[in-house]
Amino acid sequence: MASEFQRDKLLNMFRAFDADGNGYLDQSDFRALADRWKELPRVRPGSELAARVEAVMLGWWDHLAAQADANKDGKVDLDEILAMVDRLHTMREVVAATAETIFDAVDENGDGRISPGEHRRLVDTWHGERVDIADVFDRLDQDGDGYLSRPEFTELWIQFWVSDDPAEPGNHLCGAVPTRS
């Protein structure tokens, strides 16, 4: 059963993914998400990275449809996503595998690190619009070196998808988690 924090976090994710705002996720939402990621400079049309990004995004849909679409109608609503929360901790490997591609897409200059500016583009791409991220990067950059390394990013990515602990920095990787008042 989803905690209040998980519900808030997953609602934020759901809104970011529901490209057409129809109240459910389907394959077209994940195609739109892949198209947003393909606007990043390193994800050039026809490139190997563009193919990986598309495979990851559509793979998320396939996994979500198989795991959460309880009534098999080809649509996943928020309640169906919340019902699978208890299984998230068993998906660490699936989540970690996607982190590699996302890291490569966001690391615009290919230096093996994500800068605050690159993180900003990750969040904007994630949401499909500019959102306030104020001090989020400082929270993520646990070693204070001004960058996120691949291992740091992978751990933060896993925390984002799996964690129910609001204190874990990865929960804010894609922007602050809005809470209900």
Side-chain angles (χ1 to χ4, degrees), residues 144-180:
D145 69 354
Y147 297 94
L148 302 178
S149 68
R150 189 177 297 269
E152 286 173 309
F153 180 81
T154 299
E155 184 56 33
L156 292 165
W157 189 255
I158 291 169
Q159 287 175 5
F160 176 79
W161 288 104
V162 176
S163 175
D164 184 26
D165 181 356
E168 287 193 314
N171 283 310
H172 306 281
L173 182 64
C174 296
V177 177
T179 55
R180 292 173 276 159

PDB file of all heavy atoms in Angstrom, residues 144-180:
ATOM      1  N   GLY A 144      29.443  16.930  -2.831  1.00  0.00           N
ATOM      2  CA  GLY A 144      29.708  18.359  -2.972  1.00  0.00           C
ATOM      3  C   GLY A 144      30.711  18.738  -4.033  1.00  0.00           C
ATOM      4  O   GLY A 144      31.254  19.839  -4.008  1.00  0.00           O
ATOM      5  N   ASP A 145      30.953  17.866  -5.028  1.00  0.00           N
ATOM      6  CA  ASP A 145      31.940  18.195  -6.064  1.00  0.00           C
ATOM      7  C   ASP A 145      31.350  18.966  -7.245  1.00  0.00           C
ATOM      8  O   ASP A 145      32.063  19.299  -8.184  1.00  0.00           O
ATOM      9  CB  ASP A 145      32.663  16.937  -6.545  1.00  0.00           C
ATOM     10  CG  ASP A 145      31.774  15.989  -7.347  1.00  0.00           C
ATOM     11  OD1 ASP A 145      30.551  16.237  -7.452  1.00  0.00           O
ATOM     12  OD2 ASP A 145      32.311  14.985  -7.857  1.00  0.00           O
ATOM     13  N   GLY A 146      30.068  19.253  -7.203  1.00  0.00           N
ATOM     14  CA  GLY A 146      29.447  20.037  -8.268  1.00  0.00           C
ATOM     15  C   GLY A 146      28.948  19.214  -9.433  1.00  0.00           C
ATOM     16  O   GLY A 146      28.471  19.771 -10.425  1.00  0.00           O
ATOM     17  N   TYR A 147      29.035  17.891  -9.347  1.00  0.00           N
ATOM     18  CA  TYR A 147      28.615  16.993 -10.430  1.00  0.00           C
ATOM     19  C   TYR A 147      27.999  15.727  -9.852  1.00  0.00           C
ATOM     20  O   TYR A 147      28.230  15.386  -8.694  1.00  0.00           O
ATOM     21  CB  TYR A 147      29.816  16.589 -11.294  1.00  0.00           C
ATOM     22  CG  TYR A 147      30.465  17.737 -12.001  1.00  0.00           C
ATOM     23  CD1 TYR A 147      31.554  18.400 -11.440  1.00  0.00           C
ATOM     24  CD2 TYR A 147      29.991  18.164 -13.232  1.00  0.00           C
ATOM     25  CE1 TYR A 147      32.149  19.472 -12.081  1.00  0.00           C
ATOM     26  CE2 TYR A 147      30.576  19.238 -13.887  1.00  0.00           C
ATOM     27  CZ  TYR A 147      31.646  19.884 -13.310  1.00  0.00           C
ATOM     28  OH  TYR A 147      32.225  20.942 -13.953  1.00  0.00           O
ATOM     29  N   LEU A 148      27.273  15.013 -10.697  1.00  0.00           N
ATOM     30  CA  LEU A 148      26.802  13.673 -10.363  1.00  0.00           C
ATOM     31  C   LEU A 148      27.553  12.697 -11.247  1.00  0.00           C
ATOM     32  O   LEU A 148      27.501  12.802 -12.480  1.00  0.00           O
ATOM     33  CB  LEU A 148      25.297  13.538 -10.628  1.00  0.00           C
ATOM     34  CG  LEU A 148      24.386  14.515  -9.890  1.00  0.00           C
ATOM     35  CD1 LEU A 148      22.931  14.293 -10.299  1.00  0.00           C
ATOM     36  CD2 LEU A 148      24.566  14.393  -8.384  1.00  0.00           C
ATOM     37  N   SER A 149      28.277  11.779 -10.629  1.00  0.00           N
ATOM     38  CA  SER A 149      28.963  10.733 -11.394  1.00  0.00           C
ATOM     39  C   SER A 149      27.938   9.683 -11.813  1.00  0.00           C
ATOM     40  O   SER A 149      26.802   9.669 -11.322  1.00  0.00           O
ATOM     41  CB  SER A 149      30.048  10.082 -10.532  1.00  0.00           C
ATOM     42  OG  SER A 149      29.434   9.349  -9.477  1.00  0.00           O
ATOM     43  N   ARG A 150      28.343   8.791 -12.680  1.00  0.00           N
ATOM     44  CA  ARG A 150      27.450   7.711 -13.118  1.00  0.00           C
ATOM     45  C   ARG A 150      26.974   6.865 -11.924  1.00  0.00           C
ATOM     46  O   ARG A 150      25.779   6.615 -11.796  1.00  0.00           O
ATOM     47  CB  ARG A 150      28.125   6.858 -14.189  1.00  0.00           C
ATOM     48  CG  ARG A 150      27.195   5.855 -14.848  1.00  0.00           C
ATOM     49  CD  ARG A 150      27.902   5.093 -15.950  1.00  0.00           C
ATOM     50  NE  ARG A 150      28.343   5.949 -17.038  1.00  0.00           N
ATOM     51  CZ  ARG A 150      27.611   6.229 -18.121  1.00  0.00           C
ATOM     52  NH1 ARG A 150      26.420   5.723 -18.273  1.00  0.00           N
ATOM     53  NH2 ARG A 150      28.104   7.009 -19.064  1.00  0.00           N
ATOM     54  N   PRO A 151      27.884   6.428 -11.025  1.00  0.00           N
ATOM     55  CA  PRO A 151      27.408   5.654  -9.868  1.00  0.00           C
ATOM     56  C   PRO A 151      26.463   6.451  -8.959  1.00  0.00           C
ATOM     57  O   PRO A 151      25.475   5.912  -8.459  1.00  0.00           O
ATOM     58  CB  PRO A 151      28.690   5.265  -9.127  1.00  0.00           C
ATOM     59  CG  PRO A 151      29.766   5.333 -10.169  1.00  0.00           C
ATOM     60  CD  PRO A 151      29.350   6.435 -11.107  1.00  0.00           C
ATOM     61  N   GLU A 152      26.777   7.744  -8.737  1.00  0.00           N
ATOM     62  CA  GLU A 152      25.888   8.576  -7.927  1.00  0.00           C
ATOM     63  C   GLU A 152      24.508   8.665  -8.580  1.00  0.00           C
ATOM     64  O   GLU A 152      23.486   8.514  -7.909  1.00  0.00           O
ATOM     65  CB  GLU A 152      26.438  10.005  -7.793  1.00  0.00           C
ATOM     66  CG  GLU A 152      27.608  10.161  -6.870  1.00  0.00           C
ATOM     67  CD  GLU A 152      28.178  11.569  -6.933  1.00  0.00           C
ATOM     68  OE1 GLU A 152      28.469  12.079  -8.038  1.00  0.00           O
ATOM     69  OE2 GLU A 152      28.347  12.151  -5.848  1.00  0.00           O
ATOM     70  N   PHE A 153      24.504   8.933  -9.883  1.00  0.00           N
ATOM     71  CA  PHE A 153      23.248   9.068 -10.609  1.00  0.00           C
ATOM     72  C   PHE A 153      22.432   7.777 -10.549  1.00  0.00           C
ATOM     73  O   PHE A 153      21.229   7.813 -10.317  1.00  0.00           O
ATOM     74  CB  PHE A 153      23.507   9.460 -12.067  1.00  0.00           C
ATOM     75  CG  PHE A 153      22.242   9.623 -12.856  1.00  0.00           C
ATOM     76  CD1 PHE A 153      21.507  10.792 -12.775  1.00  0.00           C
ATOM     77  CD2 PHE A 153      21.773   8.597 -13.666  1.00  0.00           C
ATOM     78  CE1 PHE A 153      20.328  10.943 -13.486  1.00  0.00           C
ATOM     79  CE2 PHE A 153      20.597   8.734 -14.382  1.00  0.00           C
ATOM     80  CZ  PHE A 153      19.873   9.916 -14.296  1.00  0.00           C
ATOM     81  N   THR A 154      23.097   6.653 -10.734  1.00  0.00           N
ATOM     82  CA  THR A 154      22.391   5.362 -10.708  1.00  0.00           C
ATOM     83  C   THR A 154      21.729   5.151  -9.360  1.00  0.00           C
ATOM     84  O   THR A 154      20.557   4.744  -9.290  1.00  0.00           O
ATOM     85  CB  THR A 154      23.349   4.208 -11.052  1.00  0.00           C
ATOM     86  OG1 THR A 154      23.865   4.420 -12.372  1.00  0.00           O
ATOM     87  CG2 THR A 154      22.640   2.860 -10.983  1.00  0.00           C
ATOM     88  N   GLU A 155      22.440   5.433  -8.277  1.00  0.00           N
ATOM     89  CA  GLU A 155      21.854   5.265  -6.946  1.00  0.00           C
ATOM     90  C   GLU A 155      20.687   6.224  -6.741  1.00  0.00           C
ATOM     91  O   GLU A 155      19.647   5.852  -6.194  1.00  0.00           O
ATOM     92  CB  GLU A 155      22.908   5.456  -5.855  1.00  0.00           C
ATOM     93  CG  GLU A 155      22.370   5.191  -4.464  1.00  0.00           C
ATOM     94  CD  GLU A 155      21.750   3.816  -4.270  1.00  0.00           C
ATOM     95  OE1 GLU A 155      22.198   2.828  -4.888  1.00  0.00           O
ATOM     96  OE2 GLU A 155      20.777   3.717  -3.485  1.00  0.00           O
ATOM     97  N   LEU A 156      20.830   7.464  -7.198  1.00  0.00           N
ATOM     98  CA  LEU A 156      19.742   8.436  -7.077  1.00  0.00           C
ATOM     99  C   LEU A 156      18.530   8.000  -7.899  1.00  0.00           C
ATOM    100  O   LEU A 156      17.385   8.142  -7.464  1.00  0.00           O
ATOM    101  CB  LEU A 156      20.221   9.819  -7.530  1.00  0.00           C
ATOM    102  CG  LEU A 156      21.268  10.486  -6.645  1.00  0.00           C
ATOM    103  CD1 LEU A 156      21.919  11.653  -7.378  1.00  0.00           C
ATOM    104  CD2 LEU A 156      20.679  10.915  -5.301  1.00  0.00           C
ATOM    105  N   TRP A 157      18.785   7.462  -9.092  1.00  0.00           N
ATOM    106  CA  TRP A 157      17.708   6.986  -9.976  1.00  0.00           C
ATOM    107  C   TRP A 157      16.936   5.842  -9.299  1.00  0.00           C
ATOM    108  O   TRP A 157      15.707   5.805  -9.324  1.00  0.00           O
ATOM    109  CB  TRP A 157      18.315   6.551 -11.299  1.00  0.00           C
ATOM    110  CG  TRP A 157      17.337   6.233 -12.386  1.00  0.00           C
ATOM    111  CD1 TRP A 157      16.987   5.001 -12.836  1.00  0.00           C
ATOM    112  CD2 TRP A 157      16.607   7.159 -13.191  1.00  0.00           C
ATOM    113  NE1 TRP A 157      16.080   5.098 -13.859  1.00  0.00           N
ATOM    114  CE2 TRP A 157      15.833   6.419 -14.097  1.00  0.00           C
ATOM    115  CE3 TRP A 157      16.533   8.549 -13.235  1.00  0.00           C
ATOM    116  CZ2 TRP A 157      14.988   7.009 -15.033  1.00  0.00           C
ATOM    117  CZ3 TRP A 157      15.690   9.139 -14.167  1.00  0.00           C
ATOM    118  CH2 TRP A 157      14.940   8.377 -15.053  1.00  0.00           C
ATOM    119  N   ILE A 158      17.671   4.930  -8.691  1.00  0.00           N
ATOM    120  CA  ILE A 158      17.029   3.819  -7.971  1.00  0.00           C
ATOM    121  C   ILE A 158      16.214   4.366  -6.803  1.00  0.00           C
ATOM    122  O   ILE A 158      15.062   3.957  -6.597  1.00  0.00           O
ATOM    123  CB  ILE A 158      18.073   2.789  -7.499  1.00  0.00           C
ATOM    124  CG1 ILE A 158      18.676   2.052  -8.699  1.00  0.00           C
ATOM    125  CG2 ILE A 158      17.445   1.788  -6.515  1.00  0.00           C
ATOM    126  CD1 ILE A 158      19.896   1.211  -8.369  1.00  0.00           C
ATOM    127  N   GLN A 159      16.786   5.282  -6.051  1.00  0.00           N
ATOM    128  CA  GLN A 159      16.040   5.877  -4.946  1.00  0.00           C
ATOM    129  C   GLN A 159      14.759   6.527  -5.448  1.00  0.00           C
ATOM    130  O   GLN A 159      13.705   6.384  -4.816  1.00  0.00           O
ATOM    131  CB  GLN A 159      16.889   6.923  -4.209  1.00  0.00           C
ATOM    132  CG  GLN A 159      17.977   6.357  -3.354  1.00  0.00           C
ATOM    133  CD  GLN A 159      18.859   7.448  -2.748  1.00  0.00           C
ATOM    134  OE1 GLN A 159      18.603   8.642  -2.888  1.00  0.00           O
ATOM    135  NE2 GLN A 159      19.912   7.024  -2.064  1.00  0.00           N
ATOM    136  N   PHE A 160      14.861   7.249  -6.559  1.00  0.00           N
ATOM    137  CA  PHE A 160      13.677   7.922  -7.098  1.00  0.00           C
ATOM    138  C   PHE A 160      12.535   6.937  -7.322  1.00  0.00           C
ATOM    139  O   PHE A 160      11.395   7.191  -6.957  1.00  0.00           O
ATOM    140  CB  PHE A 160      13.999   8.666  -8.399  1.00  0.00           C
ATOM    141  CG  PHE A 160      12.775   9.286  -9.014  1.00  0.00           C
ATOM    142  CD1 PHE A 160      12.269  10.467  -8.513  1.00  0.00           C
ATOM    143  CD2 PHE A 160      12.110   8.660 -10.043  1.00  0.00           C
ATOM    144  CE1 PHE A 160      11.116  11.031  -9.052  1.00  0.00           C
ATOM    145  CE2 PHE A 160      10.968   9.204 -10.590  1.00  0.00           C
ATOM    146  CZ  PHE A 160      10.471  10.397 -10.085  1.00  0.00           C
ATOM    147  N   TRP A 161      12.840   5.824  -7.927  1.00  0.00           N
ATOM    148  CA  TRP A 161      11.786   4.870  -8.266  1.00  0.00           C
ATOM    149  C   TRP A 161      11.373   3.979  -7.111  1.00  0.00           C
ATOM    150  O   TRP A 161      10.218   3.555  -7.035  1.00  0.00           O
ATOM    151  CB  TRP A 161      12.224   4.015  -9.455  1.00  0.00           C
ATOM    152  CG  TRP A 161      12.215   4.813 -10.711  1.00  0.00           C
ATOM    153  CD1 TRP A 161      13.296   5.316 -11.371  1.00  0.00           C
ATOM    154  CD2 TRP A 161      11.065   5.245 -11.441  1.00  0.00           C
ATOM    155  NE1 TRP A 161      12.889   6.034 -12.465  1.00  0.00           N
ATOM    156  CE2 TRP A 161      11.523   6.005 -12.532  1.00  0.00           C
ATOM    157  CE3 TRP A 161       9.701   5.069 -11.270  1.00  0.00           C
ATOM    158  CZ2 TRP A 161      10.653   6.583 -13.454  1.00  0.00           C
ATOM    159  CZ3 TRP A 161       8.839   5.641 -12.191  1.00  0.00           C
ATOM    160  CH2 TRP A 161       9.315   6.396 -13.267  1.00  0.00           C
ATOM    161  N   VAL A 162      12.281   3.664  -6.205  1.00  0.00           N
ATOM    162  CA  VAL A 162      12.021   2.622  -5.218  1.00  0.00           C
ATOM    163  C   VAL A 162      11.764   3.154  -3.804  1.00  0.00           C
ATOM    164  O   VAL A 162      10.986   2.574  -3.057  1.00  0.00           O
ATOM    165  CB  VAL A 162      13.202   1.613  -5.200  1.00  0.00           C
ATOM    166  CG1 VAL A 162      13.028   0.570  -4.122  1.00  0.00           C
ATOM    167  CG2 VAL A 162      13.359   0.963  -6.570  1.00  0.00           C
ATOM    168  N   SER A 163      12.395   4.239  -3.427  1.00  0.00           N
ATOM    169  CA  SER A 163      12.400   4.680  -2.034  1.00  0.00           C
ATOM    170  C   SER A 163      11.065   5.250  -1.560  1.00  0.00           C
ATOM    171  O   SER A 163      10.364   5.945  -2.284  1.00  0.00           O
ATOM    172  CB  SER A 163      13.476   5.749  -1.834  1.00  0.00           C
ATOM    173  OG  SER A 163      13.420   6.265  -0.521  1.00  0.00           O
ATOM    174  N   ASP A 164      10.807   4.987  -0.295  1.00  0.00           N
ATOM    175  CA  ASP A 164       9.664   5.577   0.405  1.00  0.00           C
ATOM    176  C   ASP A 164      10.152   6.502   1.514  1.00  0.00           C
ATOM    177  O   ASP A 164       9.387   6.927   2.365  1.00  0.00           O
ATOM    178  CB  ASP A 164       8.776   4.468   0.987  1.00  0.00           C
ATOM    179  CG  ASP A 164       7.518   5.018   1.639  1.00  0.00           C
ATOM    180  OD1 ASP A 164       7.066   6.112   1.252  1.00  0.00           O
ATOM    181  OD2 ASP A 164       6.988   4.367   2.561  1.00  0.00           O
ATOM    182  N   ASP A 165      11.428   6.828   1.511  1.00  0.00           N
ATOM    183  CA  ASP A 165      12.011   7.666   2.553  1.00  0.00           C
ATOM    184  C   ASP A 165      12.222   9.084   2.013  1.00  0.00           C
ATOM    185  O   ASP A 165      13.129   9.310   1.204  1.00  0.00           O
ATOM    186  CB  ASP A 165      13.349   7.063   2.996  1.00  0.00           C
ATOM    187  CG  ASP A 165      14.023   7.870   4.094  1.00  0.00           C
ATOM    188  OD1 ASP A 165      13.510   8.945   4.474  1.00  0.00           O
ATOM    189  OD2 ASP A 165      15.079   7.410   4.570  1.00  0.00           O
ATOM    190  N   PRO A 166      11.404  10.048   2.436  1.00  0.00           N
ATOM    191  CA  PRO A 166      11.539  11.412   1.924  1.00  0.00           C
ATOM    192  C   PRO A 166      12.926  12.015   2.132  1.00  0.00           C
ATOM    193  O   PRO A 166      13.302  12.940   1.419  1.00  0.00           O
ATOM    194  CB  PRO A 166      10.492  12.200   2.712  1.00  0.00           C
ATOM    195  CG  PRO A 166       9.538  11.196   3.229  1.00  0.00           C
ATOM    196  CD  PRO A 166      10.317   9.924   3.407  1.00  0.00           C
ATOM    197  N   ALA A 167      13.698  11.483   3.078  1.00  0.00           N
ATOM    198  CA  ALA A 167      15.039  12.008   3.351  1.00  0.00           C
ATOM    199  C   ALA A 167      16.063  11.563   2.309  1.00  0.00           C
ATOM    200  O   ALA A 167      17.128  12.170   2.197  1.00  0.00           O
ATOM    201  CB  ALA A 167      15.498  11.583   4.744  1.00  0.00           C
ATOM    202  N   GLU A 168      15.769  10.515   1.557  1.00  0.00           N
ATOM    203  CA  GLU A 168      16.731  10.069   0.539  1.00  0.00           C
ATOM    204  C   GLU A 168      16.728  11.063  -0.620  1.00  0.00           C
ATOM    205  O   GLU A 168      15.678  11.360  -1.191  1.00  0.00           O
ATOM    206  CB  GLU A 168      16.417   8.660   0.070  1.00  0.00           C
ATOM    207  CG  GLU A 168      16.760   7.621   1.105  1.00  0.00           C
ATOM    208  CD  GLU A 168      16.750   6.207   0.569  1.00  0.00           C
ATOM    209  OE1 GLU A 168      15.805   5.829  -0.145  1.00  0.00           O
ATOM    210  OE2 GLU A 168      17.717   5.479   0.880  1.00  0.00           O
ATOM    211  N   PRO A 169      17.910  11.573  -0.978  1.00  0.00           N
ATOM    212  CA  PRO A 169      17.982  12.634  -1.976  1.00  0.00           C
ATOM    213  C   PRO A 169      17.446  12.243  -3.356  1.00  0.00           C
ATOM    214  O   PRO A 169      16.902  13.089  -4.070  1.00  0.00           O
ATOM    215  CB  PRO A 169      19.472  12.981  -2.035  1.00  0.00           C
ATOM    216  CG  PRO A 169      20.175  11.796  -1.471  1.00  0.00           C
ATOM    217  CD  PRO A 169      19.235  11.178  -0.491  1.00  0.00           C
ATOM    218  N   GLY A 170      17.578  10.996  -3.726  1.00  0.00           N
ATOM    219  CA  GLY A 170      17.133  10.572  -5.053  1.00  0.00           C
ATOM    220  C   GLY A 170      15.651  10.780  -5.305  1.00  0.00           C
ATOM    221  O   GLY A 170      15.220  10.875  -6.452  1.00  0.00           O
ATOM    222  N   ASN A 171      14.872  10.872  -4.255  1.00  0.00           N
ATOM    223  CA  ASN A 171      13.445  11.113  -4.426  1.00  0.00           C
ATOM    224  C   ASN A 171      13.165  12.440  -5.114  1.00  0.00           C
ATOM    225  O   ASN A 171      12.079  12.652  -5.639  1.00  0.00           O
ATOM    226  CB  ASN A 171      12.723  11.045  -3.080  1.00  0.00           C
ATOM    227  CG  ASN A 171      12.530   9.614  -2.645  1.00  0.00           C
ATOM    228  OD1 ASN A 171      12.046   8.788  -3.408  1.00  0.00           O
ATOM    229  ND2 ASN A 171      12.932   9.314  -1.429  1.00  0.00           N
ATOM    230  N   HIS A 172      14.148  13.316  -5.122  1.00  0.00           N
ATOM    231  CA  HIS A 172      13.995  14.641  -5.706  1.00  0.00           C
ATOM    232  C   HIS A 172      14.776  14.789  -7.018  1.00  0.00           C
ATOM    233  O   HIS A 172      14.928  15.898  -7.512  1.00  0.00           O
ATOM    234  CB  HIS A 172      14.419  15.695  -4.684  1.00  0.00           C
ATOM    235  CG  HIS A 172      13.689  15.530  -3.385  1.00  0.00           C
ATOM    236  ND1 HIS A 172      12.407  15.969  -3.195  1.00  0.00           N
ATOM    237  CD2 HIS A 172      14.041  14.888  -2.250  1.00  0.00           C
ATOM    238  CE1 HIS A 172      12.007  15.636  -1.975  1.00  0.00           C
ATOM    239  NE2 HIS A 172      12.982  14.971  -1.387  1.00  0.00           N
ATOM    240  N   LEU A 173      15.253  13.673  -7.558  1.00  0.00           N
ATOM    241  CA  LEU A 173      16.060  13.707  -8.776  1.00  0.00           C
ATOM    242  C   LEU A 173      15.354  14.413  -9.929  1.00  0.00           C
ATOM    243  O   LEU A 173      15.983  15.130 -10.705  1.00  0.00           O
ATOM    244  CB  LEU A 173      16.431  12.274  -9.199  1.00  0.00           C
ATOM    245  CG  LEU A 173      17.324  12.138 -10.426  1.00  0.00           C
ATOM    246  CD1 LEU A 173      18.689  12.769 -10.167  1.00  0.00           C
ATOM    247  CD2 LEU A 173      17.478  10.690 -10.814  1.00  0.00           C
ATOM    248  N   CYS A 174      14.069  14.237 -10.048  1.00  0.00           N
ATOM    249  CA  CYS A 174      13.310  14.835 -11.152  1.00  0.00           C
ATOM    250  C   CYS A 174      12.525  16.056 -10.690  1.00  0.00           C
ATOM    251  O   CYS A 174      11.500  16.407 -11.271  1.00  0.00           O
ATOM    252  CB  CYS A 174      12.409  13.778 -11.786  1.00  0.00           C
ATOM    253  SG  CYS A 174      13.371  12.444 -12.532  1.00  0.00           S
ATOM    254  N   GLY A 175      13.027  16.713  -9.649  1.00  0.00           N
ATOM    255  CA  GLY A 175      12.389  17.883  -9.099  1.00  0.00           C
ATOM    256  C   GLY A 175      11.834  17.591  -7.714  1.00  0.00           C
ATOM    257  O   GLY A 175      11.673  16.432  -7.336  1.00  0.00           O
ATOM    258  N   ALA A 176      11.558  18.621  -6.994  1.00  0.00           N
ATOM    259  CA  ALA A 176      11.009  18.463  -5.646  1.00  0.00           C
ATOM    260  C   ALA A 176       9.682  17.715  -5.723  1.00  0.00           C
ATOM    261  O   ALA A 176       8.936  17.858  -6.686  1.00  0.00           O
ATOM    262  CB  ALA A 176      10.818  19.832  -4.997  1.00  0.00           C
ATOM    263  N   VAL A 177       9.419  16.920  -4.720  1.00  0.00           N
ATOM    264  CA  VAL A 177       8.167  16.174  -4.667  1.00  0.00           C
ATOM    265  C   VAL A 177       7.126  17.069  -3.992  1.00  0.00           C
ATOM    266  O   VAL A 177       7.241  17.377  -2.807  1.00  0.00           O
ATOM    267  CB  VAL A 177       8.322  14.856  -3.868  1.00  0.00           C
ATOM    268  CG1 VAL A 177       6.983  14.133  -3.766  1.00  0.00           C
ATOM    269  CG2 VAL A 177       9.378  13.974  -4.510  1.00  0.00           C
ATOM    270  N   PRO A 178       6.127  17.489  -4.781  1.00  0.00           N
ATOM    271  CA  PRO A 178       5.069  18.315  -4.170  1.00  0.00           C
ATOM    272  C   PRO A 178       4.248  17.460  -3.209  1.00  0.00           C
ATOM    273  O   PRO A 178       4.004  16.286  -3.464  1.00  0.00           O
ATOM    274  CB  PRO A 178       4.223  18.764  -5.353  1.00  0.00           C
ATOM    275  CG  PRO A 178       4.672  18.021  -6.531  1.00  0.00           C
ATOM    276  CD  PRO A 178       5.909  17.264  -6.177  1.00  0.00           C
ATOM    277  N   THR A 179       3.870  18.066  -2.108  1.00  0.00           N
ATOM    278  CA  THR A 179       3.058  17.343  -1.130  1.00  0.00           C
ATOM    279  C   THR A 179       1.688  18.003  -1.051  1.00  0.00           C
ATOM    280  O   THR A 179       1.538  19.194  -1.336  1.00  0.00           O
ATOM    281  CB  THR A 179       3.711  17.361   0.260  1.00  0.00           C
ATOM    282  OG1 THR A 179       3.959  18.700   0.640  1.00  0.00           O
ATOM    283  CG2 THR A 179       5.018  16.578   0.256  1.00  0.00           C
ATOM    284  N   ARG A 180       0.728  17.183  -0.682  1.00  0.00           N
ATOM    285  CA  ARG A 180      -0.635  17.698  -0.532  1.00  0.00           C
ATOM    286  C   ARG A 180      -0.716  18.497   0.755  1.00  0.00           C
ATOM    287  O   ARG A 180      -0.090  18.167   1.743  1.00  0.00           O
ATOM    288  CB  ARG A 180      -1.643  16.546  -0.500  1.00  0.00           C
ATOM    289  CG  ARG A 180      -1.736  15.855  -1.838  1.00  0.00           C
ATOM    290  CD  ARG A 180      -2.593  14.646  -1.760  1.00  0.00           C
ATOM    291  NE  ARG A 180      -1.691  13.579  -1.269  1.00  0.00           N
ATOM    292  CZ  ARG A 180      -2.118  12.482  -0.686  1.00  0.00           C
ATOM    293  NH1 ARG A 180      -3.373  12.275  -0.498  1.00  0.00           N
ATOM    294  NH2 ARG A 180      -1.273  11.567  -0.288  1.00  0.00           N
TER     295      ARG A 180
END
